[in-house]
Amino acid sequence: MTVPGKPGRGQAGHGLLPQLADPLPHRYVLNVQLLFPGKPRDGNSAIADQGFPPFCSTALEEIQMAFVNEVVSDEDIVKYNLPFKPGAGRYWTRDKERDCYLWGGIVENFAFGYDPEGQFDFYCADILLRVSLNMGQGSSSFKESPYRIIWSEVSHIQPCDLGGLSLHDVVPLLKSALMTFGYDGRKNIFTPSRIVSFGF
């Protein structure tokens, strides 16, 4: 993983709070998947390393997470100086208890031959990180079930020193947010059954 970049608008780091080290807090559901204890599947170590017991393929898996996709309140738009107007009805992926949020999305520009990439603002421990991620060869049609979303690598993070935060702690938290974000960070109505995988 490379983390080049320029200083961003994050504040001086105070180190991650102890509870941020847990990559999978609570409250999240993924549809129709099958896991085996300690055995990674589809490169998604963020799930497999938890050692879940086997599930029936028709069962829902409950994976402990605190991130949720929700509409940003007008108060939070002002509080975090977000780049849209109050009342805009914009979504973010947020862990309220940990005061973390992910905002952004997948950028596609096929007219100029660019591969899709993720461009996000990721806020944690009072630091705002600008994160760019490259995508792997996931699903190409919403008809695919489960729909596969693959994040192959983090290409850039600004500020490059992470504002004093530890990459070891930031990456698991970022993965947790991306798993909840899914395809679009809203209700994921086009991808109700999906698998989010990571190459980093």
Side-chain angles (χ1 to χ4, degrees):
M1 179 192 311
T2 59
V3 290
K6 302 177 183 178
R9 45 185 180 139
Q11 303 171 5
H14 305 291
L16 283 178
L17 298 176
Q19 63 266 32
L20 295 186
D22 176 11
L24 296 175
H26 48 271
R27 295 197 307 272
Y28 190 61
V29 174
L30 287 179
N31 290 336
V32 193
Q33 296 183 36
L34 181 63
L35 297 180
F36 296 92
K39 182 179 181 181
R41 65 185 312 279
D42 302 309
N44 197 343
S45 60
I47 297 176
D49 287 350
Q50 301 306 307
F52 286 98
F55 280 84
C56 171
S57 60
T58 59
L60 293 180
E61 296 169 2
E62 293 189 4
I63 298 177
Q64 301 304 311
M65 285 188 164
F67 281 101
V68 296
N69 297 323
E70 64 182 15
V71 175
V72 187
S73 70
D74 291 350
E75 292 78 11
D76 283 332
I77 291 174
V78 174
K79 175 181 177 180
Y80 295 102
N81 192 29
L82 298 174
F84 37 87
K85 296 179 179 179
R90 303 292 289 273
Y91 274 77
W92 65 359
T93 302
R94 185 190 193 190
D95 182 333
K96 186 175 182 179
E97 294 177 0
R98 300 182 188 216
D99 195 23
C100 300
Y101 72 77
L102 181 77
W103 177 81
I106 298 172
V107 178
E108 299 178 286
N109 196 335
F110 298 111
F112 293 95
Y114 296 126
D115 293 329
E117 65 175 0
Q119 295 182 2
F120 297 96
D121 282 358
F122 185 51
Y123 178 88
C124 61
D126 297 323
I127 303 296
L128 179 65
L129 303 174
R130 300 285 178 82
V131 182
S132 297
L133 302 103
N134 292 335
M135 300 193 74
Q137 295 298 316
S139 295
S140 58
S141 170
F142 291 139
K143 295 180 180 180
E144 297 183 43
S145 182
Y147 188 92
R148 298 180 181 274
I149 302 157
I150 302 174
W151 298 106
S152 60
E153 63 177 347
V154 178
S155 58
H156 298 282
I157 296 182
Q158 297 178 339
C160 57
D161 66 353
L162 306 182
L165 302 180
S166 166
L167 191 65
H168 174 76
D169 291 326
V170 168
V171 168
L173 195 61
L174 175 63
K175 287 181 177 181
S176 296
L178 288 168
M179 288 171 64
T180 302
F181 177 86
Y183 175 78
D184 60 16
R186 300 184 183 91
K187 298 179 180 179
N188 285 283
I189 59 174
F190 296 109
T191 57
S193 176
R194 58 193 176 276
I195 296 175
V196 178
S197 303
F198 303 94
F200 59 90

Coordinates of all heavy atoms in Angstrom, one line a residue, residues 22-56:
D22 N -10.7 -1.9 17.4 CA -11.6 -3.1 17.0 C -12.2 -2.8 15.7 O -13.0 -1.9 15.5 CB -12.7 -3.2 18.1 CG -13.7 -4.3 17.7 OD1 -13.4 -5.1 16.8 OD2 -14.7 -4.3 18.4
P23 N -11.8 -3.7 14.7 CA -12.3 -3.4 13.3 C -13.7 -3.7 13.1 O -14.3 -3.2 12.1 CB -11.4 -4.4 12.4 CG -11.1 -5.5 13.4 CD -10.9 -4.8 14.8
L24 N -14.4 -4.5 13.9 CA -15.8 -4.9 13.7 C -16.6 -4.6 15.0 O -16.7 -5.5 15.8 CB -15.9 -6.3 13.3 CG -15.3 -6.6 11.9 CD1 -15.3 -8.1 11.7 CD2 -15.9 -5.9 10.8
P25 N -17.1 -3.4 15.2 CA -17.9 -3.2 16.4 C -19.2 -3.9 16.4 O -19.2 -5.1 16.6 CB -18.1 -1.7 16.4 CG -17.1 -1.1 15.5 CD -16.8 -2.2 14.5
H26 N -20.3 -3.3 16.0 CA -21.6 -4.0 16.0 C -22.6 -3.4 15.0 O -22.4 -2.3 14.6 CB -22.2 -4.0 17.4 CG -22.2 -2.7 18.1 ND1 -21.1 -2.3 18.8 CD2 -23.1 -1.7 18.1 CE1 -21.3 -1.1 19.3 NE2 -22.5 -0.7 18.8
R27 N -23.6 -4.2 14.8 CA -24.8 -3.8 14.0 C -24.6 -3.7 12.5 O -24.4 -2.6 12.0 CB -25.4 -2.4 14.5 CG -25.9 -2.5 15.9 CD -26.8 -1.3 16.1 NE -26.2 -0.1 15.8 CZ -25.5 0.7 16.6 NH1 -25.3 0.2 17.8 NH2 -25.0 1.8 16.2
Y28 N -24.5 -4.8 11.8 CA -24.5 -4.8 10.3 C -25.0 -6.1 9.8 O -24.8 -7.2 10.5 CB -23.2 -4.4 9.8 CG -23.2 -4.2 8.3 CD1 -23.9 -3.1 7.8 CD2 -22.4 -5.0 7.4 CE1 -23.9 -2.9 6.4 CE2 -22.4 -4.8 6.1 CZ -23.2 -3.7 5.6 OH -23.2 -3.5 4.2
V29 N -25.6 -6.2 8.7 CA -26.1 -7.4 8.1 C -25.7 -7.5 6.6 O -25.9 -6.6 5.9 CB -27.7 -7.5 8.2 CG1 -28.1 -8.8 7.5 CG2 -28.1 -7.6 9.6
L30 N -25.1 -8.6 6.3 CA -24.8 -8.9 4.9 C -25.7 -10.1 4.5 O -25.9 -11.0 5.2 CB -23.3 -9.3 4.7 CG -22.3 -8.2 4.8 CD1 -20.9 -8.9 4.6 CD2 -22.5 -7.2 3.7
N31 N -26.1 -10.1 3.2 CA -27.1 -11.1 2.8 C -26.4 -12.3 2.1 O -25.5 -12.2 1.4 CB -28.0 -10.5 1.7 CG -28.9 -9.5 2.3 OD1 -29.2 -9.5 3.5 ND2 -29.4 -8.5 1.5
V32 N -26.9 -13.5 2.5 CA -26.7 -14.8 1.8 C -25.3 -15.0 1.4 O -24.9 -14.9 0.3 CB -27.6 -14.8 0.5 CG1 -27.6 -16.2 -0.1 CG2 -29.0 -14.4 0.7
Q33 N -24.5 -15.3 2.5 CA -23.1 -15.7 2.2 C -22.8 -16.9 3.1 O -23.5 -17.2 4.1 CB -22.1 -14.5 2.6 CG -22.3 -13.3 1.6 CD -21.3 -12.2 2.0 OE1 -20.2 -12.5 2.3 NE2 -21.7 -11.0 1.9
L34 N -21.6 -17.5 2.9 CA -21.3 -18.7 3.6 C -19.8 -18.5 4.1 O -18.9 -18.3 3.3 CB -21.3 -19.9 2.7 CG -21.0 -21.3 3.4 CD1 -22.0 -21.6 4.5 CD2 -21.0 -22.4 2.3
L35 N -19.6 -18.5 5.5 CA -18.3 -18.3 6.0 C -17.9 -19.6 6.8 O -18.7 -20.3 7.3 CB -18.3 -17.1 7.0 CG -18.6 -15.8 6.4 CD1 -18.6 -14.7 7.5 CD2 -17.7 -15.4 5.3
F36 N -16.6 -19.8 6.9 CA -16.0 -20.9 7.6 C -15.0 -20.3 8.6 O -14.3 -19.3 8.3 CB -15.3 -21.9 6.7 CG -16.3 -22.6 5.8 CD1 -16.5 -22.0 4.5 CD2 -17.0 -23.7 6.1 CE1 -17.4 -22.6 3.6 CE2 -17.9 -24.3 5.3 CZ -18.1 -23.7 4.0
P37 N -14.9 -20.9 9.8 CA -14.0 -20.4 10.8 C -12.6 -20.2 10.4 O -11.9 -21.1 9.9 CB -14.1 -21.4 11.9 CG -15.4 -22.2 11.7 CD -15.5 -22.2 10.2
G38 N -12.1 -18.9 10.5 CA -10.7 -18.6 10.2 C -10.3 -18.8 8.8 O -9.1 -18.7 8.5
K39 N -11.1 -19.0 7.9 CA -10.8 -19.2 6.5 C -11.2 -18.1 5.6 O -12.4 -17.9 5.5 CB -11.4 -20.5 6.0 CG -10.9 -20.9 4.6 CD -11.5 -22.2 4.1 CE -11.1 -22.5 2.7 NZ -11.7 -23.8 2.2
P40 N -10.3 -17.3 5.1 CA -10.7 -16.2 4.2 C -11.5 -16.6 3.0 O -11.2 -17.7 2.5 CB -9.4 -15.5 3.9 CG -8.4 -16.0 4.9 CD -8.9 -17.4 5.2
R41 N -12.5 -15.9 2.6 CA -13.2 -16.1 1.3 C -13.2 -14.8 0.6 O -13.5 -13.8 1.1 CB -14.6 -16.7 1.5 CG -15.5 -15.8 2.2 CD -16.9 -16.5 2.5 NE -17.4 -17.2 1.4 CZ -18.1 -16.6 0.4 NH1 -18.3 -15.3 0.4 NH2 -18.6 -17.3 -0.6
D42 N -12.9 -14.9 -0.7 CA -13.0 -13.8 -1.6 C -12.0 -12.7 -1.1 O -12.3 -11.5 -1.3 CB -14.4 -13.2 -1.7 CG -15.3 -14.2 -2.3 OD1 -15.0 -14.8 -3.3 OD2 -16.4 -14.5 -1.6
G43 N -10.9 -13.0 -0.4 CA -10.0 -12.1 0.0 C -10.4 -11.1 1.1 O -9.8 -10.2 1.5
N44 N -11.6 -11.4 1.7 CA -12.2 -10.5 2.7 C -11.8 -10.9 4.1 O -12.6 -11.5 4.9 CB -13.7 -10.5 2.6 CG -14.3 -9.3 3.3 OD1 -13.6 -8.6 4.1 ND2 -15.5 -8.9 2.9
S45 N -10.5 -10.6 4.5 CA -10.0 -11.0 5.8 C -10.8 -10.3 6.9 O -10.8 -10.8 8.0 CB -8.5 -10.8 5.9 OG -8.2 -9.4 5.7
A46 N -11.3 -9.1 6.6 CA -12.0 -8.4 7.6 C -13.2 -9.2 8.1 O -13.6 -9.0 9.3 CB -12.5 -7.0 7.1
I47 N -13.8 -10.0 7.3 CA -14.9 -10.9 7.8 C -14.3 -12.2 8.3 O -14.6 -12.6 9.4 CB -15.9 -11.2 6.6 CG1 -16.5 -9.9 6.2 CG2 -16.9 -12.2 7.1 CD1 -17.5 -10.1 5.0
A48 N -13.5 -12.9 7.5 CA -13.1 -14.3 7.7 C -12.3 -14.4 9.0 O -12.3 -15.4 9.7 CB -12.4 -14.8 6.5
D49 N -11.5 -13.4 9.3 CA -10.6 -13.5 10.5 C -11.3 -13.6 11.8 O -10.7 -13.8 12.8 CB -9.6 -12.4 10.5 CG -8.5 -12.5 9.4 OD1 -8.4 -13.6 8.8 OD2 -7.8 -11.6 9.2
Q50 N -12.6 -13.2 11.8 CA -13.4 -13.3 13.0 C -13.7 -14.7 13.4 O -14.2 -14.9 14.5 CB -14.6 -12.4 12.9 CG -14.4 -11.0 12.5 CD -13.4 -10.4 13.5 OE1 -13.6 -10.4 14.7 NE2 -12.3 -9.8 13.0
G51 N -13.5 -15.7 12.5 CA -13.8 -17.1 12.8 C -15.2 -17.4 13.1 O -15.6 -18.1 14.0
F52 N -16.1 -16.9 12.2 CA -17.5 -17.2 12.4 C -17.8 -18.7 12.1 O -17.1 -19.3 11.3 CB -18.4 -16.4 11.4 CG -18.5 -15.0 11.8 CD1 -17.7 -14.0 11.2 CD2 -19.5 -14.6 12.8 CE1 -17.8 -12.7 11.6 CE2 -19.6 -13.3 13.1 CZ -18.8 -12.3 12.5
P53 N -18.8 -19.3 12.8 CA -19.1 -20.7 12.4 C -19.8 -20.8 11.1 O -20.3 -19.8 10.6 CB -20.1 -21.1 13.6 CG -20.7 -19.8 14.0 CD -19.6 -18.8 13.9
P54 N -19.9 -22.0 10.5 CA -20.5 -22.1 9.2 C -22.0 -21.7 9.2 O -22.7 -22.0 10.2 CB -20.4 -23.6 8.8 CG -19.2 -24.0 9.6 CD -19.3 -23.2 10.9
F55 N -22.5 -21.1 8.1 CA -23.9 -20.8 8.0 C -24.5 -21.5 6.9 O -23.9 -21.8 5.9 CB -24.1 -19.2 7.8 CG -23.9 -18.4 9.0 CD1 -22.7 -18.0 9.5 CD2 -25.1 -18.0 9.7 CE1 -22.6 -17.2 10.6 CE2 -25.0 -17.2 10.8 CZ -23.7 -16.8 11.3
C56 N -25.8 -21.7 6.9 CA -26.6 -22.2 5.8 C -26.6 -21.1 4.7 O -26.6 -19.9 5.1 CB -28.0 -22.5 6.2 SG -29.1 -22.9 4.8

